[in-house]
Amino acid sequence: KAGVTQTPRYLIKTRGQQVTLSCSPISGHRSVSWYQQTPGQGLQFLFEYFSETQRNKGNFPGRFSGRQFSNSRSEMNVSTLELGDSALYLCASSLAPSGTYTGELFFGEGSRLTVL
Amino acid sequence: GENVEQHPSTLSVQEGDSAVIKCTYSDSASNYFPWYKQELGKRPQLIIDIRSNVGEKKDQRIAVTLNKTAKHFSLHITETQPEDSAVYFCAAPDSWGKLQFGAGTQVVVTP
């Protein structure tokens, strides 16, 4: 069974640009969560989608958005990039919603974004 | 929303000793508490979890304890080995089901 796949793995952007990151979940998983990881800040929750519906959203500005398609693949978009957006963006899929006992998160390897 | 606090931020232990990481949560509705391990350069992976109706759960050298009254839960690693060196994250869902992670604990096991 293929794991969670994230593309691109690395990308460099300049301030003001926008970026789209993609996540393909494990087959059969309907929940996709996104996290931002920076040194010292741990895993900051961005949003979670379940069956194409945004189930939860974290405390990030409106520049951060996402969506989920009917095949459960998900994308997140960051517009008007700022230097502080440089981070590792992790996507995780699960069978059930993430805050439940059957919602074990399976993480992808992440997309490392550098904003110059 | 849920606020999960994790301590310590770094923990250095000698091989063979025990390591304990503690987390507190704020939402009394939380009922599921997973722990994830992230080795250097790798993705986080679930190592153990506990439901709110259980006080303790063990899996070989790792165990998790939960005190719902005090709203804290802990990870215990016994007989630590070099491969236990990693960052460990605790997590808890808030009443909206949003899984929130602690800031992480860097565990270093020295020979």
Side-chain angles (χ1 to χ4, degrees):
Chain A
K1 203 179 213 184
V4 177
T5 304
Q6 289 187 247
T7 57
R9 290 289 316 283
Y10 302 91
L11 63 166
I12 299 173
K13 294 285 187 179
T14 55
R15 279 181 298 175
Q17 287 187 311
Q18 70 142 19
V19 66
T20 299
L21 309 178
S22 179
C23 173
S24 293
I26 291 172
S27 178
H29 285 192
R30 296 163 62 190
S31 177
V32 173
S33 301
W34 288 88
Y35 289 86
Q36 182 194 64
Q37 185 171 34
T38 54
Q41 293 297 313
L43 297 164
Q44 299 293 312
F45 175 82
L46 281 157
F47 22 67
E48 180 180 9
Y49 290 88
F50 185 79
S51 295
E52 299 181 68
T53 300
Q54 185 179 83
R55 185 170 172 267
N56 273 308
K57 190 176 192 308
N59 296 324
F60 279 81
R63 301 185 295 107
F64 291 79
S65 63
R67 57 179 174 168
Q68 186 180 34
F69 303 96
S70 58
N71 61 358
S72 294
R73 190 178 72 85
S74 177
E75 287 182 348
M76 68 164 278
N77 184 78
V78 187
S79 62
T80 319
L81 285 166
E82 300 177 0
L83 294 179
D85 296 333
S86 294
L88 179 67
Y89 291 87
L90 288 165
C91 159
S93 74
S94 52
L95 272 172
S98 63
T100 62
Y101 191 61
T102 52
E104 177 183 351
L105 294 176
F106 292 85
F107 285 87
E109 292 186 284
S111 292
R112 185 166 295 281
L113 171 65
T114 301
V115 182
L116 302 175
Chain B
E2 182 65 273
N3 182 35
V4 180
E5 294 191 1
Q6 183 171 348
H7 300 279
S9 56
T10 59
L11 181 58
S12 184
V13 295
Q14 277 209 305
E15 185 176 353
D17 287 350
S18 295
V20 181
I21 304 169
K22 298 181 179 179
C23 289
T24 59
Y25 61 97
S26 58
D27 196 324
S28 56
S30 296
N31 57 4
Y32 168 63
F33 307 91
W35 286 87
Y36 285 78
K37 174 184 179 183
Q38 186 176 27
E39 296 179 16
L40 186 63
K42 302 257 180 92
R43 64 193 84 185
Q45 289 187 303
L46 179 73
I47 54 170
I48 194 168
D49 55 22
I50 191 169
R51 289 185 188 182
S52 59
N53 60 350
V54 175
E56 183 177 8
K57 183 177 178 181
K58 287 183 181 179
D59 183 3
Q60 299 183 350
R61 295 186 298 106
I62 60 173
V64 57
T65 58
L66 171 65
N67 184 326
K68 283 219 75 177
T69 303
K71 293 184 190 173
H72 67 70
F73 56 113
S74 301
L75 179 72
H76 304 253
I77 308 173
T78 58
E79 300 173 23
T80 52
Q81 300 170 6
E83 55 263 37
D84 295 329
S85 294
V87 178
Y88 292 81
F89 294 98
C90 63
D94 63 14
S95 50
W96 297 99
K98 203 180 343 180
L99 190 64
Q100 303 279 30
F101 284 82
T105 297
Q106 173 78 61
V107 174
V108 178
V109 180
T110 54

